[in-house]
Amino acid sequence: MGDVERVMERVHRLLAIANDPAASDNEQRIALEQAQRLMNRHAIEEWQLEEDHDDVEIIERRIRLETNPCNRYMAQLANIVAHGNRCRAAYECRRAGNGRDVVSTVWIYGARVDVDKTESIWTAMETSRAAMWRERARTTPRAKANAAWRNGYYRGFQEEIARRYEILRREMESDGTGRELITVRGSQVDRWVETHVTFISDKPKLSKATRPSQAAYRHGRRDGTGRARRSVSRKPDRPATGPWKSSKQPKNITIL
């Protein structure tokens, strides 16, 4: 078993704890934090051993989503986690019967090992977030597990994670090797996207989201504080909306 496989095996064990309903909230937070920090340390070590930093294969990974009103928030969280792992993210839409666009797919671009890390951490966070918003609604007086509560929780959760990721990015950049890794690899992925992907100006016609609950938003921020401590090192460089992507066969894909 190679070094990458051993690291990812440890990461997967930690993520299993992070997603274990029997584990306490504190145990889940610690496990996810350890998983992300382990991946960060390994990335820096691998970078130090590389003789040619330009010899890297950039890939794109397509992750299909089940139909869910939370998909727009899932795409935004994927973007946060992707940037934290030196990747980039986009989302694809399909046209629903009501004429509105529905987020159906997330695309992740980056070095293969970074894409693997992004998918693992993002999936763990989504599994946790999907369960926790209902639990917070159930245990909060006068709260209802409706769209307003869900949207408020989802927004608060990811905004706090984005804030924490910026703190962690600065921590990683305080090390010369970590700063070089973030800068060089991020630029490599950006150039690949610019070379292989064409964007057009049309925006998707997403349904208007239900106004979020401020109480749920505060709960999401608090839970995001714990979740983000086991996360990465960089917030999104771009807003969560943008031009559509079009390749040889145009698709409804929006870069985040």
Side-chain angles (χ1 to χ4, degrees):
M1 181 183 295
D3 289 342
V4 174
E5 288 77 10
R6 280 194 291 269
V7 169
M8 291 310 297
E9 183 179 8
R10 293 174 61 189
V11 167
H12 289 151
R13 286 200 297 267
L14 289 166
L15 293 179
I17 297 173
N19 289 322
D20 185 358
S24 69
D25 187 56
N26 188 55
E27 289 173 330
Q28 292 175 335
R29 291 176 180 177
I30 291 174
L32 197 46
E33 178 178 1
Q34 289 177 337
Q36 184 61 71
R37 292 193 182 278
L38 176 62
M39 291 191 291
N40 283 350
R41 288 198 301 270
H42 180 258
I44 291 176
E45 291 170 358
E46 288 292 299
W47 185 260
Q48 290 173 324
L49 293 174
E50 287 181 6
E51 295 183 357
D52 183 2
H53 294 321
D54 292 328
D55 184 20
V56 58
E57 178 190 12
I58 305 299
I59 68 168
E60 63 177 7
R61 179 167 298 167
R62 186 179 191 180
I63 304 172
R64 298 181 184 275
L65 306 178
E66 296 181 0
T67 301
N68 190 310
C70 299
N71 284 2
R72 70 177 70 194
Y73 298 117
M74 294 176 68
Q76 292 166 1
L77 183 59
N79 185 47
I80 295 169
V81 178
H83 275 79
N85 285 282
R86 301 159 299 281
C87 295
R88 301 295 181 262
Y91 64 85
E92 181 177 351
C93 292
R94 65 173 178 80
R95 185 60 53 84
N98 62 0
R100 290 291 181 177
D101 293 313
V102 179
V103 177
S104 59
T105 303
V106 166
W107 292 80
I108 301 174
Y109 310 95
R112 185 178 301 276
V113 64
D114 293 337
V115 171
D116 288 342
K117 294 172 183 177
T118 294
E119 185 175 5
S120 295
I121 289 294
W122 172 54
T123 301
M125 284 187 175
E126 287 298 353
T127 300
S128 173
R129 181 164 67 165
M132 291 174 66
W133 81 266
R134 293 182 182 279
E135 177 63 17
R136 293 292 181 259
R138 186 183 67 82
T139 57
T140 300
R142 296 184 297 278
K144 295 182 179 180
N146 54 20
W149 185 274
R150 178 199 64 215
N151 292 353
Y153 186 92
Y154 267 59
R155 287 184 60 180
F157 183 98
Q158 66 196 41
E159 286 183 18
E160 181 60 26
I161 285 178
R163 187 187 71 84
R164 293 290 304 177
Y165 271 34
E166 171 62 9
I167 295 173
L168 292 169
R169 179 189 66 82
R170 291 197 296 266
E171 290 178 1
M172 192 170 181
E173 287 187 339
S174 66
D175 174 86
T177 303
R179 181 169 57 253
E180 180 186 37
L181 169 59
I182 291 173
T183 302
V184 175
R185 185 53 52 79
S187 296
Q188 290 171 333
V189 177
D190 287 337
R191 287 196 302 270
W192 188 93
V193 171
E194 290 172 2
T195 300
H196 294 82
V197 181
T198 302
F199 298 99
I200 57 179
S201 59
D202 294 339
K203 295 181 179 180
K205 298 178 181 179
L206 300 175
S207 297
K208 185 177 180 180
T210 301
R211 184 175 180 178
S213 160
Q214 289 303 306
Y217 176 88
R218 290 191 291 271
H219 276 289
R221 290 294 296 251
R222 284 197 292 270
D223 288 342
T225 298
R227 291 289 164 191
R229 292 198 185 106
R230 16 67 175 149
S231 53
V232 231
S233 51
R234 195 174 184 187
K235 71 175 183 179
D237 292 330
R238 302 172 181 174
T241 58
W244 288 35
K245 167 188 170 185
S246 175
S247 56
K248 292 182 180 179
Q249 294 182 348
K251 305 171 184 177
N252 296 338
I253 301 179
T254 302
I255 193 71
L256 286 154

